[in-house]
Amino acid sequence: MDRSSELYQRSSGVTPGGVSSPVRAFKPNPLFIDRAKGSRIWDVDGNEYIDLCMAYGPLVVGHACPKVMDAAKEQISKGTVYGAPSEPELNLIERIVKEVPSADMVRLGCSGTEATMHAIRVARGVTGRDDIIKINGGFHGAHDAALVAAGSGSAGGVPSSKGVLSDVAKHTFTAEYNDSQSMNDILDKHDVACVIMEPVMGNVGVVTPEKGYLEEVRKITSEHGTILIFDEVITGFRASSGGAQKRYGVTPDMTTMGKIIGGGFAAGAFMGRKDIMENVAPQGGVYVAGTFAGNPVSATAGLATIDLMCSNDNYNKLEKRTDSLVATIRDSMIDNRIVGCVNSVASMFSVFFGIEQATNGSEAMRADREMFDMLFRYMLSNGVYLPPSAMEVNFMSLAHSEGDIAVLEDKFKGFFESVKG
């Protein structure tokens, strides 16, 4: 038995499923990681992998980036948490305000889940309305308002997790991505506090907006007095320096972020128009608090990450490398008569098997998961670590070199040749 198996047996006895988050689990056991550097991770048995999971998105500059680590170490030497405002916290907030179109004011937190939970509460507090809309297949953290599946007919949603009250779920309605009419129909029938949506979907793999879709969502939410929240926990400072909203030129009323703004440390944030954000305590009546909110180490690492990404044309360089890999994957699938498609934006991409397009959550969730599992295990055995789930996203980083790209192209080609039609 290898050491990962041994550690998993131990872990299974003391934490549910042996993991701290369900997306990390796979059979017979997940890998236990010992260390990471740049584009690589090493498990506790000494096996080396090119990493395309990248901790599910935060590590846009790579694992243990020297500039980020040096900045964090310097801050750690001064203390890790104060329970009081700090200059690193303010510096990060000011940088977010500078880069993100919707960010007049920002409140920092500790996770994406916190950010979306608080943003929904603010929207309800500002509008005095109870109902919200989410997108089918979208994920906005593990809290009650978001753990909801579509209900039948024009009714609100139903719990997608045990422990979520039906009385809570009934206030969450679901629309289909890239279908503004389905959203408008709900808005016409209900007083909706907010629409919370990923401008680029990332919980069912990468699904990008069709031309005019985000603009139409912006228009109809404004007409109904509904607050539009872009959940950019994944796309914030990845789709561009100002997130997906800057890339696509559509400005929401509020935005949530996480992942990259912490530079590899725990972080979250919600932001928006000044007249909305002034409703947050202590200035207003919507209560939001947290012991580790605005943590100076996270803020320092996040700002160092943003500074690095915004220098030397790094966004463009990273996107070109990603596009090159994606083009090779697409061509190899065609050459080997593999039914499927590849969706990508910026430094994110997803491979869908068994479907010719994935333009919304319903289509994406019809993808062949057994074929993806074959890909995952083939790549793992050949030194490439993908996210274990077919519905997750592959992430590239500045640390992925041209040499890494060549290896990845070879491994993907090898798999497609092994299963060719």
Side-chain angles (χ1 to χ4, degrees), residues 103-394:
D104 292 341
M105 301 184 81
V106 180
R107 172 62 66 85
L108 298 179
C110 298
S111 69
T113 288
E114 268 193 8
T116 57
M117 178 178 69
H118 293 325
I120 290 170
R121 184 185 304 148
V122 171
R124 283 172 163 160
V126 169
T127 62
R129 303 173 183 177
D130 295 335
D131 296 338
I132 69 171
I133 295 175
K134 60 173 284 191
I135 300 297
N136 180 34
F139 180 70
H140 308 291
H143 55 92
D144 288 9
L147 290 175
V148 176
S152 60
S154 60
V158 295
S160 61
S161 167
K162 291 182 177 180
V164 174
L165 300 180
S166 297
D167 283 347
V168 173
K170 71 181 182 181
H171 292 293
T172 300
F173 294 80
T174 303
E176 196 71 77
Y177 189 74
N178 277 324
D179 181 358
S180 57
Q181 187 58 52
S182 72
M183 183 181 295
N184 193 64
D185 289 345
I186 299 170
L187 290 169
D188 280 344
K189 295 175 183 176
H190 302 275
D191 288 328
V192 176
C194 67
V195 170
I196 184 166
M197 62 179 293
E198 298 166 291
V200 175
M201 295 190 76
N203 188 57
V204 288
V206 175
V207 181
T208 58
E210 295 178 343
K211 185 177 181 180
Y213 170 65
L214 294 179
E215 290 85 350
E216 185 62 19
V217 167
R218 173 67 285 180
K219 177 175 177 289
I220 62 177
T221 51
S222 295
E223 290 172 349
H224 287 83
T226 296
I227 291 174
L228 176 59
I229 305 171
F230 277 0
D231 181 350
E232 297 222 45
V233 169
I234 293 176
T235 55
F237 291 100
R238 182 172 283 275
S240 79
S241 61
Q245 60 195 263
K246 185 175 181 179
R247 185 183 185 96
Y248 293 105
V250 178
T251 303
D253 301 301
M254 298 185 71
T255 300
T256 60
M257 288 189 179
K259 297 188 186 288
I260 287 172
I261 65 166
F265 293 84
F270 65 95
M271 61 207 71
R273 295 196 329 251
K274 186 175 182 180
D275 63 297
I276 293 174
M277 295 297 292
E278 286 178 333
N279 288 273
V280 177
Q283 193 164 354
V286 180
Y287 194 73
V288 173
T291 297
F292 289 94
N295 179 267
V297 180
S298 298
T300 298
L303 185 57
T305 298
I306 293 167
D307 285 343
L308 184 53
M309 283 305 300
C310 290
S311 65
N312 300 318
D313 199 30
N314 279 331
Y315 277 106
N316 187 46
K317 291 175 183 176
L318 180 53
E319 184 162 348
K320 285 183 176 179
R321 288 182 195 170
T322 306
D323 288 346
S324 174
L325 174 59
V326 166
T328 298
I329 294 172
R330 285 192 180 120
D331 289 346
S332 185
M333 290 177 73
I334 293 169
D335 291 344
N336 290 284
R337 300 184 297 279
I338 307 297
V339 177
C341 60
V342 187
N343 286 1
S344 69
V345 64
S347 53
M348 306 159 52
F349 72 93
S350 295
V351 181
F352 298 94
F353 293 108
I355 56 176
E356 295 184 351
Q357 66 175 21
T359 64
N360 58 42
S362 294
E363 291 177 350
M365 286 185 280
R366 287 197 289 268
D368 186 339
R369 301 188 189 205
E370 289 186 8
M371 179 68 89
F372 177 84
D373 188 64
M374 291 172 62
L375 171 66
F376 170 74
R377 294 181 186 282
Y378 177 93
M379 298 296 272
L380 195 67
S381 67
N382 282 274
V384 179
Y385 188 78
L386 305 179
S389 168
M391 297 291 101
E392 295 292 345
V393 173
N394 297 296

